[in-house]
Amino acid sequence: MHGKGDQVSTSDYVDETAPSNSARIPAPAGKATSAPLMGRKSEPTIFEFSSPGRRAWSFRTTGIPEWEPQELVPARMLRDRPVDLVEVPERDLVAHVTRLTHRQYSVDLGAYPLGSCTMKYNPKVCDETASLPGLTGVHPAAPAGLCQGWLELLWGLTEALCEVTGMAAATLQPPAGAAGELTGLLLMRAWHASNGERRTKVIIPDSAHGTNPASVTLGGYETVTVPSDERGLVDMAALRSRLDGDVAGIMLTNPNTLGLFEEDIAEIAAAVHDVGGLVYYDGANLNAILGVTRPGDMGFDIVHMNLHKTFAVPHGGGGPGAGPVAVSERLAAFLPGPLPRRSENGSFEWHTPASSVGRVHAWHGNALALARAWTYILLNGGDGLRTVAQAAVLNSNWLRQRLRGFYDIPFDRPAMHEFVASASSLKKSKGIRALDVAKRMLEEGFHAPTVYFPLVVDEALMIEPTETESLETLSALADSLISIATEPPGEAALAPRSTPVGRVDEALAARRLQATWDAVLAGDGRTG
Amino acid sequence: MNVPEHLRYTSDHEWARGDSDGVRIGITDYAQDSLGDVVFVQLPTPGRRVTAGESIAEVESTKSVSDIYAPIDGIVSEVNQELTDAPQRLNEDPYGEGWLCVIAPDGDSPLAPLMDADSYRGLIEG
């Protein structure tokens, strides 16, 4: 919006040397927004609806004195011409955004078996809680005495997360899983520093999430990779050969990214502890063991949780997320603060641990995301959370059994909440790659599974049906995957044919990235 | 898969060839096929001292990012700058125009520990 209504006139944008009727004809980019754009057509970019001088709306009178920018801002800081913003009326803007939302696939629309991401349905009551005026209307700087409800909620959630993970204390501040990882590594560093040690290495399995080595690097450590053995689990001999007094710790996901439970976890934890290292639990797959077993009981020292995956917080582009970190007793003094605490008289207060590593996020984290997770925990109760894990594991194994014989199952043993199939044989026999299967799934009306991850499996299809899908939906999902594997070769290579955007040239897009509209205009004609 | 007889190989799917100016290295046909369309290559800085097994470059495809390891000890003497603008050369011609860099080797027979074509073929077909 321009400060002074429509002070900037169309003439500012029109080339004065152009023929005199140029201001009356539609601008070059001005696509008609009300022409039928629904259905299978791809939606133009917002830039293509722009027409000089169009505005959403302007206040007719505001009663507020208006100033020219020149009167308020030093001349050297003023632009010599208005910034090139998109110029569209409200009607066209709303139509554009609404059409875009109608073209999205989402968890609320149907099954979303995107392995590793736990794209389960989130109960709407969690959103309802997060919308309560008593929660949304409180400023985070309000004195503790005026927001006891919020403190009680955050304290209750902290206690529940400690119980679920078997840890002693937790911070709710980190705004996402990766932020939780970095927090965990900062805690690891602070712990070793308090012992007068400066260790340099962190061990990570070769099947780990990409965020693990990234967090290790950001935390100032060097990554050492430990290979998986033929079971798809951490190779114990290889681990032992990498352990020495320079190892700050190990980061593990259990179940791991192959969906397999690390059976030797107690032995792994003991071996790392023997050399003075800490054991870090990446909570990405915590939803598989909720209420069944606990990282604390396995010997883990630090646990991050992805509340959006394990409990209920919108994720993907819908964030914000929440990545609380829980720790064992010996690390509690290093946690970021302030943390909620119940005082002796029963009221709630903030406190910051003695050797805190400092804040990792403004205020108290993404508080409304935390409110959603707390709602989900109360809604299910302890026994319900256990059922969540059991149903997630059951659904995953049911689907794995249905797909046997149609897809390779590289580590064909009971899986946890997800499993990894492979299109390796399909690629050799019929030229169908994991990417083709994923694209064909879009035509079938499902979100695609995760492909080409974990890296240790060739042509990987990582499938996580989650606990929220019915047997009928799982059955339809299996039928679709089976029909893709059994149909004539060539079909999948053409997919997707029923979506607004068809098969895109991903390699070209990555090699010649044009991330802005300016770049697209400038690059016109040289996209080959 | 194309496995030229005259090259030497590593278990990380790199090839090496003794040239007059040093040891030229690249990734194998098998590697480029597994990676898929390569979209970005990060090359080492010429003059860098490298040790066999050390990560010296990165190849990013539409599927993943992979490290390239030095097959031998030595000093990087030359890199294939063309890959910066045309990473697809790795897919099109992995043994020719898609070479990665040249390493001036430390020892007299740097290629001796590497696999010959038969052994490498055994590795990828086994």
Side-chain angles (χ1 to χ4, degrees):
Chain A
M1 289 286 135
H2 294 282
K4 209 166 182 182
D6 286 338
Q7 286 294 312
V8 180
S9 73
T10 305
S11 62
D12 291 345
Y13 297 85
V14 173
D15 181 356
E16 298 292 351
T17 62
S20 60
N21 66 346
S22 65
R24 288 197 299 277
I25 61 168
K31 288 204 175 185
T33 187
S34 288
L37 287 169
M38 288 303 296
R40 292 179 180 180
K41 284 187 183 169
S42 66
E43 175 71 10
T45 63
I46 187 71
F47 301 99
E48 291 165 86
F49 296 117
S50 185
S51 188
R54 297 245 172 99
R55 293 287 180 277
W57 49 271
S58 309
F59 291 109
R60 295 180 64 81
T61 55
T62 62
I64 298 169
E66 294 193 3
W67 299 78
E68 288 295 333
Q70 291 82 350
E71 297 172 73
L72 300 171
V73 182
R76 66 183 169 81
M77 299 175 84
L78 285 173
R79 291 175 171 276
D80 53 9
R81 58 189 291 270
V83 65
D84 286 330
L85 295 177
V86 172
E87 298 175 83
V88 289
E90 178 179 328
R91 195 267 172 281
D92 290 2
L93 176 64
V94 170
H96 171 67
V97 174
T98 307
R99 283 192 302 263
L100 282 178
T101 58
H102 285 213
R103 282 162 166 75
Q104 299 306 308
Y105 191 83
S106 77
V107 173
D108 281 357
L109 275 177
Y112 208 125
L114 190 67
S116 189
C117 297
T118 314
M119 303 298 282
K120 65 182 179 186
Y121 173 76
N122 290 182
K124 291 299 161 216
V125 65
C126 301
D127 294 343
E128 204 163 306
T129 315
S131 313
L132 289 174
L135 292 182
T136 58
V138 178
H139 192 281
L146 296 181
C147 49
Q148 285 289 298
W150 253 123
L151 268 94
E152 185 176 359
L153 186 159
L154 298 175
W155 174 81
L157 177 61
T158 305
E159 294 287 301
L161 295 179
C162 286
E163 191 177 337
V164 159
T165 55
M167 307 308 275
T171 171
L172 304 176
Q173 262 182 30
E181 287 182 33
L182 179 61
T183 305
L185 285 154
L186 294 176
L187 294 170
M188 200 179 272
R189 173 172 292 279
W191 159 257
H192 288 301
S194 75
N195 294 329
E197 288 195 279
R198 201 192 173 289
R199 299 183 173 219
T200 59
K201 297 184 293 193
V202 174
I203 298 178
I204 291 178
D206 60 1
S207 64
H209 295 118
T211 45
N212 289 176
S215 299
V216 166
T217 305
L218 205 55
Y221 288 109
E222 181 195 334
T223 303
V224 177
T225 306
V226 61
S228 309
D229 60 17
E230 69 286 346
R231 301 171 300 166
L233 307 178
V234 170
D235 183 328
M236 278 308 294
L239 173 64
R240 288 189 194 284
S241 73
R242 285 161 175 75
L243 287 174
D244 58 35
D246 221 12
V247 171
I250 185 169
M251 290 180 90
L252 281 180
T253 313
N254 194 16
N256 67 20
T257 56
L258 292 164
L260 305 175
F261 192 82
E262 292 283 356
E263 293 165 7
D264 304 326
I265 187 59
E267 203 182 337
I268 292 170
V272 175
H273 286 151
D274 278 350
V275 296
L278 295 174
V279 186
Y280 181 101
Y281 184 88
D282 175 330
N285 298 336
L286 181 65
N287 57 316
I289 60 168
L290 273 182
V292 179
T293 181
R294 309 189 301 174
D297 301 337
M298 301 176 202
F300 284 94
D301 303 283
I302 308 171
V303 176
H304 94 253
M305 288 151 273
N306 304 71
L307 296 192
H308 47 290
K309 296 165 78 166
T310 310
F311 303 106
V313 177
H315 52 318
V325 173
V327 294
S328 55
E329 193 65 53
R330 58 179 173 160
L331 290 162
F334 303 102
L335 282 175
L339 306 172
R341 172 169 74 185
R342 185 154 69 176
S343 66
E344 282 174 13
N345 67 13
S347 66
F348 296 91
E349 60 187 15
W350 295 112
H351 78 105
T352 299
S355 311
S356 174
V357 295
R359 284 184 174 279
V360 293
H361 193 62
W363 303 113
H364 313 300
N366 287 326
L368 291 170
L370 301 171
R372 285 180 167 90
W374 181 227
T375 308
Y376 184 84
I377 290 170
L378 292 178
L379 189 66
N380 282 284
D383 55 336
L385 291 180
R386 187 183 170 93
T387 312
V388 163
Q390 290 170 331
V393 172
L394 179 63
N395 283 359
S396 151
N397 280 291
W398 187 91
L399 198 54
R400 183 177 62 89
Q401 291 290 347
R402 277 293 310 273
L403 298 182
R404 280 173 83 181
F406 299 100
Y407 291 87
D408 304 316
I409 311 284
F411 300 98
D412 198 8
R413 43 205 297 270
M416 295 294 286
H417 64 300
E418 64 192 357
F419 64 97
V420 178
S422 164
S424 191
S425 295
L426 280 177
K427 183 182 169 190
K428 286 194 190 88
S429 64
K430 299 166 80 172
I432 299 176
R433 300 167 299 159
L435 182 71
D436 300 323
V437 175
K439 299 285 188 190
R440 260 295 274 125
M441 285 298 282
L442 307 184
E443 292 185 340
E444 296 285 311
F446 289 106
H447 195 282
T450 296
V451 292
Y452 301 114
F453 182 83
L455 303 175
V456 290
V457 173
D458 189 38
E459 295 295 325
L461 289 156
M462 191 187 198
I463 301 172
E464 180 177 15
T466 82
E467 74 278 7
T468 55
E469 301 314 323
S470 67
L471 183 58
E472 290 77 6
T473 300
L474 286 181
S475 197
L477 185 59
D479 290 346
S480 290
L481 280 162
I482 290 168
S483 74
I484 293 168
T486 50
E487 69 196 7
E491 283 292 303
L494 302 170
R497 292 158 290 194
S498 57
T499 51
V501 176
R503 182 70 71 104
V504 293
D505 188 338
E506 291 165 359
L508 179 67
R511 285 169 188 158
R512 298 213 177 167
L513 184 65
Q514 295 179 340
T516 65
W517 180 245
D518 291 355
V520 174
L521 287 182
D524 196 27
R526 60 166 186 85
T527 49
Chain B
M1 291 295 160
N2 181 14
V3 181
E5 286 301 326
H6 65 287
L7 301 177
R8 307 290 290 219
Y9 300 89
T10 73
S11 56
D12 294 314
H13 310 289
E14 286 136 22
W15 57 262
R17 182 181 76 206
D19 281 354
S20 55
D21 52 350
V23 174
R24 194 168 297 261
I25 69 166
I27 65 170
T28 64
D29 189 28
Y30 175 86
Q32 70 79 20
D33 183 65
S34 304
L35 284 169
D37 293 324
V38 175
V39 298
F40 177 75
V41 182
Q42 188 174 47
L43 295 161
T45 314
R48 174 171 158 191
R49 164 156 288 286
V50 297
T51 315
E54 177 187 344
S55 169
I56 57 167
E58 241 174 47
V59 175
E60 182 178 343
S61 74
T62 49
K63 291 184 197 173
S64 66
V65 181
S66 303
D67 281 323
I68 302 296
Y69 302 97
I72 58 165
D73 296 343
I75 292 172
V76 177
S77 58
E78 197 185 341
V79 297
N80 186 358
Q81 282 302 348
E82 201 208 335
L83 297 178
T84 309
D85 289 326
Q88 62 270 28
R89 296 284 176 270
L90 278 180
N91 296 116
E92 294 161 357
D93 191 9
Y95 298 114
E97 286 184 41
W99 64 278
L100 287 168
C101 64
V102 177
I103 298 175
D106 285 351
D108 290 336
S109 47
L111 300 182
L114 304 185
M115 278 181 264
D116 62 16
D118 269 350
S119 310
Y120 181 66
R121 217 173 275 124
L123 176 79
I124 60 174
E125 285 163 11

